[in-house]
Amino acid sequence: MTRVVLGSASAGRLKVLRQAGIDPLVVVSGVDEDRLIDGLGQDAAPGDVVGALAQAKAEQVAGELDAAVATDCVVIGCDSMLYLDGALCGKPESVEAARQLWQSMAGRSGQLYTGHCVIRLQDSDIVHREAQTSITTVHFGTPEPDDLEAYLAGGESLRVAGGFTLDGLGGWFIDGVDGDPSAVVGIGLPLTRALLRRAGVSIAALWADNAEPRR
């Protein structure tokens, strides 16, 4: 039995996996994201930043699993950031920061970088590790001022990279995406499928081993 472990607290990533037939074990990493980003330096490419964050999260979780889980599992780590005006944007730190970000995004397009890392563990040993990044262009609408204030007041913008969602309340203000919509939610299924395949795991096997319990 190959257990899927999601190294993320993201409700969006969990929802994507569950809707795709995988009910993962969720183990949240304690990676200091700011410290890792600072260590990479200001000249680090956006894809390298999110890739390093995804790998760091997956590696930390892989090193903390119970032996029973680590006997046979795949750990998935992810990280997403919006690239706009030459800068990476993570989760806004305040409502005012989210407001300024939305005022910058409105009527424009940005690139959502999503890092993915898959680690395969067998008998507690890492037998495969690979990280890749997907890039999806997001086309933002222009919310009416009262709509934007109502959205900001709900708090969703503070919990997600770039201050927006595609699958939540923020979806009202997204005009379209070029690329993989699931990556915008938080975990790209096509890229993750390819990473799992190279780790020697099939989707059919994971469906069988990680089905959500019937109620």
Side-chain angles (χ1 to χ4, degrees):
M1 176 178 176
T2 302
R3 195 73 171 95
V4 174
V5 180
L6 176 62
S8 173
S10 166
R13 293 184 183 117
L14 179 60
K15 181 169 71 172
V16 169
L17 287 176
R18 282 180 170 169
Q19 289 178 339
I22 302 293
D23 186 35
L25 171 66
V26 175
V27 180
V28 181
S29 77
V31 169
D32 187 332
E33 297 185 23
D34 292 336
R35 182 177 180 181
L36 191 153
I37 292 172
D38 289 343
L40 292 173
Q42 295 182 347
D43 296 330
D48 292 339
V49 173
V50 295
L53 286 167
Q55 183 164 325
K57 293 176 182 180
E59 288 176 343
Q60 184 169 99
V61 168
E64 297 175 348
L65 293 175
D66 291 339
V69 177
T71 296
D72 188 358
C73 70
V74 286
V75 180
I76 303 173
C78 295
D79 191 85
S80 299
M81 299 184 80
L82 179 70
Y83 189 65
L84 185 74
D85 292 332
L88 280 172
C89 308
K91 298 175 184 177
E93 296 182 354
S94 65
V95 170
E96 179 57 31
R99 181 181 294 109
Q100 292 178 2
L101 183 56
W102 263 100
Q103 290 170 347
S104 297
M105 299 187 305
R108 302 176 61 199
S109 300
Q111 283 69 51
L112 198 285
Y113 282 75
T114 305
H116 302 68
C117 180
V118 167
I119 293 177
R120 178 83 187 273
L121 288 170
Q122 291 182 312
D123 297 326
S124 298
D125 291 329
I126 295 177
V127 297
H128 182 89
R129 172 172 36 205
E130 185 177 0
Q132 277 191 248
T133 298
S134 67
I135 306 172
T136 307
T137 299
V138 182
H139 303 286
F140 297 99
T142 303
E144 295 296 327
D146 57 339
D147 290 338
L148 178 58
E149 291 306 314
Y151 178 60
L152 297 174
E156 181 183 85
S157 65
L158 302 181
R159 300 190 293 269
V160 289
F164 74 94
T165 60
L166 181 63
D167 61 327
L169 301 181
W172 287 99
F173 313 123
I174 306 301
D175 286 347
V177 300
D178 295 331
D180 175 18
S182 62
V184 180
V185 180
I187 177 170
L189 293 179
L191 178 51
T192 303
R193 184 190 72 237
L195 292 172
L196 290 169
R197 184 175 64 245
R198 290 196 287 274
V201 182
S202 73
I203 299 302
L206 295 184
W207 279 336
D209 293 342
N210 297 268
E212 190 168 2
R214 294 184 178 182
R215 296 175 182 176

